[in-house]
Amino acid sequence: MDRTVYLDNSATTAACKESVAAVNECLLNTWGNPSSLHTLGMFAENVLEDARKTVAEFIGAKPKEIYFTSCGTESNNTAILGTALRRKKRGNRIVTTAVEHPSVEETVKRLEKDGFEVIRLKTDKSGKTNEKDIFDAVDKNTVLVSIMLVNNESGAIMPVEAAARAIKQSGAPALLHCDAVQGFGKLPISVQKLGVDLLSASGHKIHAPKGVGFLYIKDGVSIDPLLTGGGQEKGMRSGTECVPLINGFAAAIKALPELKTQYKKQQDICNYARNVFQKSDIIKVNSSPDALPYIMNISVEGYRSETLLHFLESRNIYVSSGSACAKGKGSYVLNEMGLDRRRIDSALRLSFSRYNSKEDIDLLYGALCEAVNKLKRNNI
Ligand code: PLP
């Protein structure tokens, strides 16, 4: 059987061995409820608090600012709905971008139905939101700015720090939320430097298991919880903490290679891919050269994304179809970037992890050339 080439790491990653070991260890030995008063509870609580320290240190936060959740989606929902519930008397404008993940877009849409005014900032050709547009949109009525760190389809790195400055300059009673799911573990993150009040991340994008994430809430900032009950996570997220997965998340963070060195290696693979794809007349790179090198959106013009995806799968190569979207509308992100329909319908998202190499690019390119020869060119 051919070697497996997994290039869909923005969808999810394989759990690393350190993370799996940490989950197992906890399931077998530290399975107590961290809220229990006896020693078994205490052992579990120690694991939980150690993990909180690991996460906090990684983003320059204090442990008490980290709230564990089940995933990035839950963190985003909590940040957005929790802010809106708490601040609705102070204003009703929410500023976000037109290219957020559905866990943000669908949540602000819900608030829009409830009477909030939602401003969705456009992007330029590179997929980035313009800093000036952020400054223009944030006014004294704004209670929340939600802007992602890295776009999950294009890899565009968003001007989060500019949003912090815009809030300060306008005197808006706004909190700044950042969906950092695709940047976490790839770009060094400092919550102070970004100037965020709230930041979401998810374990399964960095080789931890699925089912665990966290929300950073800056010390002194209050939002309403979504889940109420036993008051776990200081009342912000009731429900018994999943200590084994949280332990696995912390282990995955500890197992990450030094971020800057890894970034350079990934940049090198990305540059290599760009050069290889240039050999073909019909493979076009949609991601901007200054995008996060872990995500590269390409189009194989004339060939439908899904057809290519399944052809590649038959060669043991796994990618994501950039245009997978309800009702055959095509990717709203690529549409925002001004790409034409033909290019959008033939888009593929390649997303990398530390386990990928240049050899994977060669195998992908070979398989794409084979697809172009074998498959009928669709009329798109
Ligand atoms: N935000 C972004 C940018 C994402 O790419 C994703 C998942 O792909 C999420 C949020 C949701 O994360 P989760 O799958 O942990 O709910």
Side-chain angles (χ1 to χ4, degrees):
M1 180 139 149
D2 295 341
R3 144 189 173 158
T4 297
V5 177
Y6 185 70
L7 296 172
D8 200 12
N9 290 281
S10 287
T12 199
T13 55
C16 62
K17 62 178 187 327
E18 292 86 349
S19 179
V20 173
V23 174
N24 279 342
E25 154 67 20
C26 202
L27 282 169
L28 290 170
N29 301 318
T30 352
W31 44 263
N33 185 327
S35 298
S36 294
L37 295 180
H38 48 68
T39 35
L40 292 186
M42 204 183 71
F43 291 153
E45 195 192 355
N46 289 344
V47 171
L48 180 63
E49 294 317 316
D50 279 352
R52 209 183 299 282
K53 262 191 224 146
T54 301
V55 172
E57 246 170 52
F58 193 62
I59 58 168
K62 300 176 203 137
K64 65 176 177 182
E65 296 174 316
I66 304 299
Y67 298 83
F68 287 109
T69 64
S70 65
C71 58
T73 298
E74 186 192 326
S75 301
N76 285 343
N77 272 256
T78 307
I80 296 166
L81 295 174
T83 301
L85 280 171
R86 182 58 70 101
R87 300 206 161 205
K88 60 177 182 250
K89 292 206 180 92
R90 299 175 70 179
N92 86 329
R93 178 178 279 209
I94 294 172
V95 176
T96 186
T97 79
V99 293
E100 297 294 315
H101 185 266
S103 56
V104 168
E105 169 53 27
E106 292 302 315
T107 311
V108 296
K109 211 183 260 169
R110 207 169 130 183
L111 290 169
E112 205 169 25
K113 284 194 193 124
D114 285 345
F116 279 89
E117 178 199 16
V118 177
I119 310 291
R120 295 171 178 83
L121 301 172
K122 314 293 281 170
T123 74
D124 59 18
K125 276 201 305 222
S126 74
K128 265 187 300 206
T129 299
N130 190 298
E131 291 194 11
K132 184 179 176 299
D133 291 347
I134 305 178
F135 276 84
D136 289 346
V138 178
D139 66 4
K140 287 214 155 54
N141 202 27
T142 307
V143 286
L144 175 69
V145 179
S146 184
I147 178 162
M148 66 202 325
L149 184 58
V150 172
N151 182 267
N152 47 299
E153 283 192 53
S154 67
I157 301 173
M158 296 298 216
V160 180
E161 289 171 42
R165 281 185 269 119
I167 293 174
K168 215 172 192 177
Q169 200 187 81
S170 67
L175 295 183
L176 175 57
H177 167 244
C178 175
D179 170 358
V181 167
Q182 293 294 348
F184 181 79
K186 285 147 194 152
L187 285 172
I189 292 179
S190 151
V191 283
Q192 278 92 19
K193 199 159 167 274
L194 281 178
V196 292
D197 300 293
L198 304 153
L199 180 134
S200 308
S202 179
H204 73 108
K205 312 289 186 184
I206 65 144
H207 307 288
K210 285 159 247 327
V212 61
F214 73 84
L215 177 63
Y216 156 82
I217 307 179
K218 188 176 170 179
D219 195 12
V221 164
S222 298
I223 63 170
D224 280 6
L226 293 195
L227 300 186
T228 47
Q232 288 89 345
E233 298 297 290
K234 291 193 265 108
M236 259 320 294
R237 203 270 183 181
S238 286
T240 303
E241 290 94 345
C242 187
V243 184
L245 295 187
I246 291 170
N247 197 34
F249 193 3
I253 292 174
K254 284 185 187 155
L256 284 170
E258 204 275 311
L259 294 191
K260 283 190 182 146
T261 314
Q262 188 57 34
Y263 195 93
K264 279 198 194 115
K265 278 190 193 161
Q266 189 50 46
Q267 188 79 65
D268 191 37
I269 293 178
C270 221
N271 292 341
Y272 180 76
R274 278 179 185 272
N275 284 334
V276 169
F277 295 150
Q278 260 177 18
K279 291 194 270 177
S280 157
D281 291 341
I282 57 168
I283 303 180
K284 302 277 174 344
V285 177
N286 301 323
S287 294
S288 164
D290 65 356
L292 188 85
Y294 288 86
I295 296 178
M296 186 183 263
N297 199 295
I298 63 168
S299 290
V300 186
E301 279 185 337
Y303 295 85
R304 252 182 219 295
S305 315
E306 284 75 11
T307 314
L308 287 167
L309 181 146
H310 293 303
F311 183 88
L312 291 175
E313 184 182 20
S314 73
R315 300 295 182 269
N316 234 1
I317 299 173
Y318 299 90
V319 301
S320 160
S321 87
S323 67
C325 191
K327 298 178 195 140
K329 272 191 190 153
S331 159
Y332 61 95
V333 175
L334 301 183
N335 198 35
E336 263 301 312
M337 289 164 67
L339 295 180
D340 64 32
R341 184 72 209 212
R342 224 170 108 79
R343 195 113 161 216
I344 294 175
D345 285 347
S346 61
L348 295 175
R349 180 187 67 182
L350 317 175
S351 51
F352 305 93
S353 78
R354 63 179 181 267
Y355 301 121
N356 292 118
S357 63
K358 288 181 184 168
E359 195 189 341
D360 293 337
I361 303 294
D362 293 337
L363 290 168
L364 169 73
Y365 182 69
L368 284 176
C369 291
E370 198 190 341
V372 166
N373 286 331
K374 286 201 173 138
L375 297 173
K376 216 169 82 200
R377 199 171 174 143
N378 295 314
N379 235 349
I380 60 169

